[in-house]
Amino acid sequence: LRRTRSASAVPTVLRALRDGFAGLFADVTVTLGAEYDETPGTRIWVGLDDPETQANPSSARSRQVPATMGGTRNRDETGEVACAVLVQVGQLGSMDEALDQAEGVIDAIGGWLISAPFQELPQFQKVVFGSDTQWLMPVFDSGPALLVQFSVTFVARIYP
């Protein structure tokens, strides 16, 4: 299968977020979609789709409109990718410890989004934290945990 044009920027954004987030942390597991086990540690899920905690579950959503400049076939795509950070500290850990770790991960992601190299690709006009962030503090059988659900929004120009 040979691709001659991009129908959507979503696959590029998903891969760029996964690879970029993975490059930020040596000891964090980063996956497309949620992969869960009860082993203590930190996970970042890119493209989270969780009908139990999301009002409108979707790994990613986008909308395209004809571009105002650059030819009649160009399109501007605005989209959002659902992501999450899960920190599990184990039976001996505390919720304070989980909160500190999650805060550090979210801060690093926020800083990376501002200066990410993939934003230099001509099709991307903007990639930023989305407007909705949710912090959940569940206690699992394996101990305290902190789940931060956030989104990354983007604007991209799709060229034929």
Side-chain angles (χ1 to χ4, degrees), residues 65-76 157-158:
V65 297
T68 56
M69 296 176 59
T72 57
R73 294 188 294 174
N74 293 344
R75 299 171 322 280
D76 287 334
R157 173 69 47 94
I158 307 298

Side-chain angles (χ1 to χ4, degrees), residues 10 13 44 68 90 101 141:
V10 170
V13 172
I44 300 173
T68 56
Q101 288 180 30
D141 291 340

Side-chain angles (χ1 to χ4, degrees), residues 7-154:
S8 174
V10 170
T12 301
V13 172
L14 288 169
R15 289 184 192 103
L17 293 175
R18 178 202 55 205
D19 297 346
F21 294 168
L24 292 174
F25 309 100
D27 57 347
V28 173
T29 302
V30 181
T31 60
L32 289 175
E35 293 184 14
Y36 176 75
D37 63 38
E38 294 200 18
T39 307
T42 301
R43 295 162 187 76
I44 300 173
W45 298 324
V46 176
L48 173 71
D49 183 353
D50 185 356
E52 292 183 22
T53 61
Q54 293 173 308
N56 298 308
S58 175
S59 296
R61 64 182 80 223
S62 69
R63 179 175 181 264
Q64 293 183 9
V65 297
T68 56
M69 296 176 59
T72 57
R73 294 188 294 174
N74 293 344
R75 299 171 322 280
D76 287 334
E77 183 174 19
T78 302
E80 183 173 39
V81 176
C83 300
V85 171
L86 175 66
V87 176
Q88 294 176 273
V89 293
Q91 290 287 346
L92 300 177
S94 69
M95 195 58 80
D96 264 349
E97 182 182 351
L99 181 60
D100 287 347
Q101 288 180 30
E103 182 181 27
V105 170
I106 291 295
D107 287 349
I109 288 171
W112 180 79
L113 284 172
I114 292 169
S115 62
F118 75 88
Q119 295 204 72
E120 295 172 9
L121 295 172
Q123 77 189 74
F124 290 101
Q125 299 167 352
K126 181 171 84 171
V127 180
V128 296
F129 256 112
S131 60
D132 296 323
T133 302
Q134 182 173 228
W135 296 69
L136 306 167
M137 296 186 197
V139 176
F140 298 127
D141 291 340
S142 59
L146 200 132
L147 176 67
V148 182
Q149 292 180 326
F150 64 97
S151 63
V152 175
T153 60
F154 68 90

